[in-house]
């Protein structure tokens, strides 16, 4: 009798674990997307701060961070645009490209 109860409890536990994993899988993906968007927003904010209060070199470096954040988020059009902005800012800062 104890063996049957043990098997029943283990079976229900495994079923519950599998069900919770099944329902949580899509949430995990949307959390990753939200996280990537937050990183991009933070980097753009840092770039805007460097435009207002930083040096030309700060703008160059921050534009590179923004381009990298878009690349990590798999947003190719924005990544290419920010790579161009980085190139322009670094040229203004006197860094060879």
């Amino acid at each position: 009798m104890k063996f049957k109860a043990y098997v029943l409890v283990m079976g229900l536990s495994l079923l519950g674990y599998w069900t919770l994993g099944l329902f949580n899988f899509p949430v995990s993906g949307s959390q990753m997307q939200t996280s990537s968007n937050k990183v991009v927003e933070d980097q753009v904010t840092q770039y805007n701060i460097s435009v207002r209060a930083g040096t030309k070199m700060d703008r160059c470096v921050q534009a590179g961070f923004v381009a990298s954040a878009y690349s990590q988020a798999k947003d190719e059009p924005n990544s290419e645009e920010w790579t161009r902005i980085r190139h322009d800012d670094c040229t203004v800062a006197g860094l060879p490209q």
Side-chain angles (χ1 to χ4, degrees):
M1 185 70 176
K2 286 185 178 182
F3 181 73
K4 288 182 182 180
Y6 177 75
V7 170
L8 180 63
V9 168
M10 290 302 294
L12 290 174
S13 297
L14 289 174
L15 179 65
Y17 181 76
W18 176 77
T19 304
L20 289 175
L22 184 66
F23 288 128
N24 286 335
F25 182 74
V27 172
S28 177
S30 66
Q31 287 174 346
M32 287 294 287
Q33 184 65 29
T34 302
S35 175
S36 294
N37 292 341
K38 178 68 174 149
V39 169
V40 168
E41 289 174 15
D42 289 345
Q43 291 303 325
V44 171
T45 299
Q46 290 297 318
Y47 176 80
N48 290 332
I49 290 170
S50 72
V51 167
R52 288 191 310 270
T55 64
K56 294 175 184 177
M57 182 68 74
D58 293 334
R59 288 178 68 172
C60 170
V61 170
Q62 289 300 328
F65 289 154
V66 175
S68 179
Y70 274 118
S71 179
Q72 290 291 324
K74 296 180 177 36
D75 186 343
E76 190 172 334
N78 282 318
S79 178
E80 290 173 0
E81 180 178 344
W82 277 94
T83 299
R84 183 191 54 75
I85 293 169
R86 181 190 57 83
H87 175 75
D88 294 345
D89 286 348
C90 290
T91 300
V92 169
L95 293 175
Q97 293 296 309

